[in-house]
């Protein structure tokens, strides 16, 4: 556990040192749970956005993208259920004065029990070696069974209490599980209360006619209210999707995990409109498609897992998370929800406008069903950054820190370095950059020894370093060094573009 916390700390300080992520308004000691992306961070973030947008919009004939406003008519949030039900159950520890989400405390408690089961299985592997039958062991080992049963019981009680809004029941469950505050170690808890996560502000300059409006807590509603606009103007036929990337705001109760849980963050959401009754087919399709999208990054297939929701949101008939193995453990990266016709029907009800589709094949009007995929851009950023961050000991005993960011997402694609600052080498290096810069973001670097410059590029994840030396002036060849293998080969300048493109083009991820 401690090791994992250290890993997160290391990633945070690396992100700051190299210009990926800074605490927001740091000169005033920062603002809790808000962060600014620096010069390299915004490049990485843009590349992640582009990977998502291309895979959704460019690779699907029947998906289009929009960019709706953050402010929306306040009735939107009445209709969507956010005003009444976008709450988290919170609980305070009276000794440490720390605030927690009650459901998260319980989830973490269950996660510890799941780890106990895995330890038991590991012991079994050691004890029985090749003869070990994992399936049978899980089905019969008394310790495993006891823990699995306990987890099931906690899950059931938690779901029942949360669905019935029985906050006393949630409190009792926390007491029964003997959950202690990680900071004070005590069980001196307050009651559980509901807390609405929406930020509100006022629109209109004269206080008399000002109206309360909300900062959107999700981008999805901007898609729903534009369903007919897009369908009609784009002549879209069901099934079709509308995608959007944009800011969302939530007044999170607990915000302690860097960019994992922020109060201002960015979502990449897609609502897929389909025929009623076909939503489970599309739900499965999107689970699979989204899983492939993540795994194509090469961060390790075993770093992902699906987690089915035990408490379904008020709008969903099926929901799961794609979880990623963050430095803090497996946590939600993306949500895939079958939202039924809830949102469109609610907007029909509150707006008095019909939000229906005429299906020429069925010769019938209906309110489409919706499958949503919703991934946090900042969580994607943290997934890429933390999985790429490695401290390596090299053959010669020296060490390096490398960010093995998937090349298509890396901020700089190539660094071009003159061996010395004279003899025309800088000019030659700049000439090379001029040939590459239309397609690749390149960095010119002439300071310090080549070894130091390589380390610097490793630390910011640049896939290629190109060195210009005296031989370059004679025969137009350069050395190109691969970030991951650290191999250097001599190539013709004329071949550089192709060599770089082969590795960094987004195509490598999308096919
Ligand atoms: P959690 O259970 O972690 O609070 P959620 O289930 O409320 O998340 P959704 O409403 O499904 O999240 O939002 C979709 C996606 O938006 C999440 O999978 C996550 O990647 C991202 N997201 C949600 N809240 C935050 C946040 N506070 N900071 C950063 N990203 C977030």
């Amino acid at each position: 556990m401690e090791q994992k916390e250290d890993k997160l700390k290391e990633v945070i300080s690396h992100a700051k040192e190299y210009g990926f992520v800074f605490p927001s308004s740091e000169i005033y000691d920062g603002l809790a749970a808000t962060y600014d992306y620096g010069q390299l961070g915004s490049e990485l973030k843009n590349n992640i956005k582009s990977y998502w947008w291309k895979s959704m919009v460019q690779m699907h004939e029947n998906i289009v993208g929009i960019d709706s406003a953050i402010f929306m008519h306040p009735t939107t949030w009445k209709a969507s259920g956010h005003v009444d039900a976008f709450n988290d159950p919170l609980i305070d520890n009276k000794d440490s004065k720390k605030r927690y989400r009650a459901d998260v405390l319980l989830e973490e408690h269950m996660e510890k029990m799941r780890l106990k089961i895995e330890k038991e299985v590991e012991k079994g592997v050691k004890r029985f070696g090749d003869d070990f039958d994992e399936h049978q062991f899980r089905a019969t080992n008394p310790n495993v069974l006891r823990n699995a049963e306990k987890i099931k019981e906690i899950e059931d009680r938690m779901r029942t209490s949360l669905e019935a809004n029985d906050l006393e029941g949630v409190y009792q469950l926390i007491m029964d599980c003997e959950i202690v505050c990680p900071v004070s170690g005590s069980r001196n808890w307050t009651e559980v209360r509901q807390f609405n996560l929406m930020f509100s502000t006022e629109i209109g300059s004269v206080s008399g006619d000002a109206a309360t409006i909300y900062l959107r807590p999700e981008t999805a509603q901007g898609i729903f209210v534009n369903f007919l606009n897009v369908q009609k103007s784009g002549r879209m036929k069901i099934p079709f999707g509308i995608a959007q990337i944009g800011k969302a705001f939530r007044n999170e109760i607990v915000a302690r995990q860097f960019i994992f849980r922020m109060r201002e963050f960015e979502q990449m959401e897609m609502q897929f409109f389909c025929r009623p009754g076909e939503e489970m087919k599309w739900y499965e399709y999107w689970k699979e498609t989204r899983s492939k999208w993540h795994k194509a990054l090469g961060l390790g297939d075993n770093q992902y897992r699906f987690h089915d929701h035990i408490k379904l949101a008020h709008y969903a008939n099926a929901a799961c998370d794609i979880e990623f193995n963050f430095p803090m453990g497996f946590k939600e990266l993306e949500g895939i929800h079958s939202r039924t016709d809830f949102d469109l029907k609610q907007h029909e009800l509150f707006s008095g406008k019909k939000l229906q589709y005429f299906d020429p094949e069925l010769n019938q009007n209906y309110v489409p069903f919706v499958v949503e995929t919703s991934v946090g851009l900042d969580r994607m950023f943290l997934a890429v950054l933390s999985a790429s961050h490695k401290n390596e000991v090299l053959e010669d005993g020296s060490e390096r820190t490398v960010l093995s960011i998937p090349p298509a997402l890396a901020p700089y694609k190539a660094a071009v370095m003159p061996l010395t600052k004279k003899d025309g080498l800088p000019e030659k290096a700049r000439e090379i950059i001029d040939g590459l810069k239309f397609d690749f973001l390149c960095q010119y670097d002439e300071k310090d020894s080549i070894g130091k410059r390589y380390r610097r590029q490793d630390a910011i994840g640049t896939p290629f370093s190109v060195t210009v030396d005296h031989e370059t002036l004679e025969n137009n060849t350069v050395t190109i060094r691969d970030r991951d293998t650290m191999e250097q080969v001599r190539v013709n300048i004329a071949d550089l573009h192709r060599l770089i493109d082969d590795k960094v083009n987004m195509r490598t991820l999308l096919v």
Side-chain angles (χ1 to χ4, degrees):
M1 190 67 188
E2 198 183 328
Q3 222 176 353
K4 284 187 162 173
E5 272 169 25
D6 286 351
K7 170 80 188 173
L8 183 62
K9 275 192 199 143
E10 228 181 299
V11 170
I12 296 173
S13 81
H14 191 89
K16 185 173 172 213
E17 184 179 347
Y18 289 95
F20 284 89
V21 183
F22 307 123
S24 165
S25 29
E26 195 187 7
I27 57 168
Y28 296 104
D29 295 334
L31 179 69
T34 37
Y35 289 89
D36 296 339
Y37 287 85
Q39 64 280 14
L40 292 188
S42 16
E43 293 294 340
L44 174 55
K45 208 174 164 198
N46 280 340
N47 293 341
I48 297 174
K49 279 194 215 180
S50 164
Y51 175 38
W52 186 87
W53 192 267
K54 278 182 202 278
S55 90
M56 281 294 177
V57 177
Q58 207 161 317
M59 307 300 285
H60 288 97
E61 236 177 71
N62 59 344
I63 300 183
V64 290
I66 64 165
D67 183 9
S68 70
I70 287 173
F71 290 142
M72 299 182 72
H73 192 286
T75 310
T76 310
W77 305 110
K78 264 303 230 191
S80 68
H82 284 82
V83 172
D84 297 319
F86 194 51
N87 301 319
D88 274 345
L90 69 83
I91 188 164
D92 294 283
N93 183 270
K94 292 182 194 160
D95 298 319
S96 66
K97 305 270 184 284
K98 290 278 178 205
R99 180 161 285 180
Y100 299 90
R101 255 171 68 178
D103 57 328
V104 171
L105 281 182
L106 287 164
E107 287 285 359
E108 283 174 355
H109 180 71
M110 288 188 278
E111 187 60 24
K112 275 190 202 145
M113 297 172 73
R114 283 190 199 101
L115 282 177
K116 270 193 199 158
I117 294 182
E118 294 316 309
K119 282 233 171 83
E120 201 68 47
V121 174
E122 267 171 39
K123 268 202 259 166
V125 174
K126 276 201 194 124
R127 196 163 358 125
F128 298 110
D130 287 345
D131 297 334
F132 185 62
D133 178 344
E134 184 176 331
H135 186 73
Q136 198 191 341
F137 186 83
R138 285 186 190 270
T140 53
N141 179 280
N143 290 341
V144 170
L145 288 179
R146 197 172 339 103
N147 273 318
E149 209 171 290
K150 269 197 219 156
I151 294 173
K152 168 103 184 36
E153 191 195 314
I154 299 171
E155 266 179 357
D156 287 346
R157 277 181 66 186
M158 177 166 129
R159 185 183 49 233
T160 318
S161 305
L162 288 174
E163 276 174 4
N165 200 16
D166 170 14
L167 300 180
E168 256 173 51
V170 179
Y171 172 82
Q172 201 47 52
L173 185 54
I174 288 177
M175 296 309 279
D176 293 349
C177 290
E178 302 186 347
I179 295 177
V180 297
C181 165
V183 177
S184 68
S186 88
R187 273 186 255 151
N188 195 6
W189 296 110
T190 62
E191 60 184 1
V192 177
R193 279 165 295 150
Q194 288 289 22
F195 178 77
N196 192 290
L197 299 181
M198 278 200 296
F199 282 103
S200 62
T201 184
E202 300 209 324
I203 199 162
S205 50
V206 189
S207 57
D209 59 7
T212 298
I213 55 163
Y214 299 98
L215 273 71
R216 66 178 178 200
E218 61 175 29
T219 57
Q221 297 305 323
I223 294 178
F224 290 125
V225 298
N226 279 299
F227 162 70
L228 265 196
N229 281 339
V230 174
Q231 191 271 318
K232 290 218 150 81
S233 60
R235 297 179 300 135
M236 307 301 291
K237 286 205 175 64
I238 285 227
F240 73 91
I242 306 180
Q244 157 151 256
I245 300 177
K247 290 264 181 171
F249 304 82
R250 296 183 188 177
N251 200 358
E252 296 283 0
I253 299 168
V254 185
R256 285 188 209 122
Q257 285 165 332
F258 191 39
I259 53 173
F260 179 82
R261 191 174 297 288
M262 301 200 283
R263 298 209 165 99
E264 173 182 342
F265 57 100
E266 226 163 325
Q267 289 185 315
M268 306 191 283
E269 295 198 301
M270 193 278 301
Q271 311 294 324
F272 197 74
F273 300 91
C274 64
R275 277 185 187 160
E278 292 195 350
E279 72 276 14
M280 289 320 284
K281 179 179 92 185
W282 290 112
Y283 175 69
E284 292 305 326
Y285 170 86
W286 283 109
K287 262 174 93 165
E288 161 108 21
T289 306
R290 295 302 302 147
S291 172
K292 269 197 201 145
W293 182 89
H294 286 287
K295 290 180 180 170
L297 288 174
L299 304 178
D301 287 5
N302 58 353
Q303 300 294 87
Y304 302 89
R305 71 181 190 196
F306 282 112
H307 171 79
D308 290 315
H309 281 202
I310 50 169
K311 181 194 176 234
L312 289 175
H314 55 276
Y315 51 73
N317 69 356
C320 74
D321 298 334
I322 297 178
E323 295 187 337
F324 184 76
N325 191 9
F326 288 101
M328 315 79 79
F330 276 97
K331 300 236 177 246
E332 173 175 347
L333 173 61
E334 168 154 4
I336 299 168
H337 310 124
S338 171
R339 293 178 79 125
T340 68
D341 54 1
F342 174 84
D343 302 86
L344 289 179
K345 277 219 167 122
Q346 285 293 102
H347 288 305
E348 277 198 328
L349 191 68
F350 279 74
S351 69
K353 311 258 164 41
K354 272 207 174 330
L355 297 175
Q356 302 194 353
Y357 173 77
F358 176 72
D359 193 324
E361 278 171 39
L362 300 180
N363 198 23
Q364 145 189 348
N365 274 308
Y366 54 78
V367 177
F369 271 46
V370 172
V371 174
E372 161 185 85
T373 72
S374 173
V375 57
L377 175 53
D378 313 272
R379 287 192 190 176
M380 268 309 294
F381 188 106
L382 182 58
V384 170
L385 197 67
S386 58
S388 306
H389 180 273
K390 292 169 192 148
N391 294 318
E392 292 180 350
V393 179
L394 307 179
E395 271 173 20
D396 64 1
S398 64
E399 288 176 22
R400 73 161 183 167
T401 299
V402 60
L403 288 186
S404 54
I405 300 176
L409 303 184
Y412 287 109
K413 304 306 183 197
V416 184
M417 315 164 164
L419 191 61
T420 63
K421 284 188 217 168
K422 48 185 201 295
D423 304 334
L425 298 186
E427 290 76 7
K428 190 71 187 170
R430 289 225 144 85
E431 196 184 300
I432 292 172
I433 289 183
D434 282 343
L436 297 173
K437 71 182 177 192
F438 295 95
D439 299 305
F440 313 114
L441 186 64
C442 298
Q443 188 172 60
Y444 174 82
D445 192 3
E446 61 172 25
K447 200 171 170 291
D448 300 324
S449 70
I450 283 287
K452 271 196 184 160
R453 283 184 256 173
Y454 283 160
R455 292 289 169 273
R456 215 157 38 221
Q457 296 304 328
D458 288 344
I460 62 172
T462 311
F464 294 108
S465 293
V466 175
T467 306
V468 176
D469 55 22
H470 291 92
E471 202 184 323
T472 310
L473 303 179
E474 287 160 22
N475 61 10
N476 269 325
T477 63
V478 287
T479 56
I480 180 164
R481 172 187 180 269
D482 182 292
R483 174 196 71 194
D484 301 322
T485 62
M486 291 183 287
E487 265 170 29
Q488 299 176 33
V489 282
R490 194 133 201 128
V491 300
N492 263 309
I493 293 177
D495 293 331
L496 270 182
H497 191 285
R498 182 183 48 80
L499 283 170
I500 296 172
D501 191 64
D502 279 352
K503 196 144 177 191
V504 311
N505 197 302
M506 203 69 86
R507 215 184 306 119
T508 56
L509 300 178
L510 292 168
V511 288

